[in-house]
Amino acid sequence: MKRLLRELRQTNDRDIRNKLIEAHLGLVEYLARRFAGRGEPLDDLTQVATIGLVKAVDRFDPGREVEFSTYATPTIVGELKRHFRDKGWAVRVPRRLQELNLRLGSVISQISQDLQRSPTVAEIAQAAGATEDEVLEALDSAHAYSLISLDAGANEEGLSYHEQIGTDDEALEALEDRVSVGPLLHRLPPRDRHMLYLRFFKGLTQSEIAKELGISQMHVSRLLAKTLATLRAGLEDDGDSDGGA
Amino acid sequence: MADLVIVRIPASTPHIGLVRSAASALAALLDFTYDRIQDLHIAIDEVCSRIMATSQPPSSRIEVTFQLDRGELTVTARGDTPLRTDVQFLTKWSQAILRSVTDSLEIIDSDGSARVTFHLGRGVSV
């Protein structure tokens, strides 16, 4: 292995570089798995870990008295940790809260149905067998995740929005008519646009939207927060113009 | 007698999370519904991000005051620098969002600085 690494330093040969990378994909896979189950898909983790490996291959000094794998491991782990830090999720949010968070989605849906209204935090806590503080923390961690998750999972709850939305043109027209975020709306997926329309212009509550679209309230809340953040970012890019009040 | 809670944060996006957390904790004290807490979060995000986007020089701090009175929450947010005059503070879009998630909204704009106050009830009468 060191011979290959020395050769790479001398020749900068792409084939040698690729060979070295391929030879260590097992290590990449192993380390990526260690970070699995923290809210990020394994495929993404493997990709991130591979980037770490490439960096290690490019930076390793074959003259050093350490094995390549000894050098590469912290580089790869560092890359994985940075990924989580950038995502603001798993490393910071304890597993206990993540699990509660996953459970809360269905708990909230269930008691909303039972009560025929949106539940209070105390009611959610009671139904989930958790304290109010835990529920609040778990809900906050959901929010942290939602803002950075690029796609909150279109099919996360097994539905096709396109099938459900026959009225997208209507929604678009109504939104465009009332506000002037204009072109930004066109860039949104129809699903997100429809949700904006239902919440802000039809005045439906998040529970009502959840019911209408057959998804959980938490999912609605994540998607709305994400869509608004996208629009905000877009507005700043577009020089913050708005047609005046 | 109303209880007052004041949160002052550096004007940067990650810190808005802190205001949201404080807001949910206070809303839970008042027994707000989950829907209302989400509304509260949307309103806070919107107001704080507009303050950051439109103050010049950029606000270094945002002060958010929560007033808890008779089971309802009144939130006031302000930056610490004047607003830009070339862009709107609350666009029509922002106002539409805020009006639909709050029970009342007041924008006080004087001497180039602005303050937004909004008010939410708990969502249902149980």
Side-chain angles (χ1 to χ4, degrees), chain A residues 21-241:
Chain A
I21 291 167
E22 273 165 36
H24 291 91
L25 286 179
L27 179 65
V28 160
E29 185 109 336
Y30 167 74
L31 292 173
R33 273 185 201 288
R34 277 181 39 193
F35 284 80
R38 299 187 188 186
E40 288 294 305
L42 183 60
D43 282 355
D44 289 3
L45 296 179
T46 310
Q47 262 186 33
V48 170
T50 310
I51 294 171
L53 172 65
V54 172
K55 284 185 180 169
V57 166
D58 290 343
R59 289 177 194 163
F60 183 70
D61 173 5
R64 283 168 69 168
E65 291 295 311
V66 291
E67 288 302 316
F68 174 72
S69 57
T70 312
Y71 172 82
T73 300
T75 311
I76 295 171
V77 169
E79 201 66 31
L80 285 162
K81 282 190 176 162
R82 185 168 321 118
H83 174 72
F84 278 109
R85 199 167 54 233
D86 292 348
K87 288 264 180 176
W89 181 236
V91 169
R92 225 177 42 203
V93 181
R95 174 166 297 215
R96 173 180 60 82
L97 282 183
Q98 287 177 48
E99 281 164 2
L100 178 58
N101 179 262
L102 290 175
R103 208 149 50 81
L104 283 184
S106 54
V107 169
I108 292 172
S109 298
Q110 183 58 51
I111 44 176
S112 303
Q113 243 175 42
D114 296 349
L115 297 168
Q116 289 295 308
R117 59 165 171 79
S118 175
T120 65
V121 172
E123 287 161 345
I124 297 170
Q126 197 183 9
T131 67
E132 287 185 38
D133 282 348
E134 284 168 340
V135 168
L136 285 171
E137 268 188 84
L139 292 176
D140 282 346
S141 69
H143 197 91
Y145 185 54
S146 68
L147 285 179
I148 19 118
S149 162
L150 289 179
D151 187 349
N155 292 313
E156 188 174 289
E157 301 188 32
L159 78 156
S160 154
Y161 286 85
H162 293 284
E163 276 167 26
Q164 295 209 7
I165 300 169
T167 55
D168 182 53
D169 290 346
E170 191 192 318
L172 184 58
E173 242 169 65
L175 288 172
E176 276 196 320
D177 218 32
R178 314 267 295 258
V179 297
S180 30
V181 275
L184 294 171
L185 285 171
H186 288 270
R187 283 186 236 152
L188 290 176
R191 168 196 68 185
D192 298 356
R193 215 153 52 201
H194 189 63
M195 219 171 267
L196 286 181
Y197 168 69
L198 291 177
R199 179 65 195 89
F200 300 120
F201 297 95
K202 295 275 272 189
L204 267 63
T205 64
Q206 294 196 4
S207 312
E208 287 163 348
I209 297 172
K211 211 178 203 176
E212 176 155 338
L213 298 183
I215 58 178
S216 74
Q217 270 166 293
M218 274 172 89
H219 196 184
V220 172
S221 142
R222 274 177 213 169
L223 285 171
L224 277 176
K226 189 197 68 160
T227 307
L228 290 174
T230 309
L231 284 179
R232 243 175 248 134
L235 271 180
E236 276 158 31
D237 289 350
D238 286 6
D240 215 44
S241 58

Side-chain angles (χ1 to χ4, degrees), chain A residues 178-179 196 198-205 228 245, chain B residues 36 39-40 42-44 46-47 88-108 115-121:
Chain A
R178 314 267 295 258
V179 297
L196 286 181
L198 291 177
R199 179 65 195 89
F200 300 120
F201 297 95
K202 295 275 272 189
L204 267 63
T205 64
L228 290 174
Chain B
R36 277 320 247 174
D39 287 347
L40 185 56
I42 287 176
I44 286 169
E46 195 59 37
V47 169
Q88 248 187 311
F89 170 42
L90 288 184
T91 59
K92 275 204 274 183
W93 173 245
S94 293
Q95 290 188 34
I97 291 171
L98 286 170
R99 289 195 197 285
S100 63
V101 293
T102 61
D103 295 336
S104 71
L105 173 70
E106 193 186 6
I107 305 156
I108 297 164
R115 172 169 105 228
V116 184
T117 299
F118 55 88
H119 167 93
L120 280 94

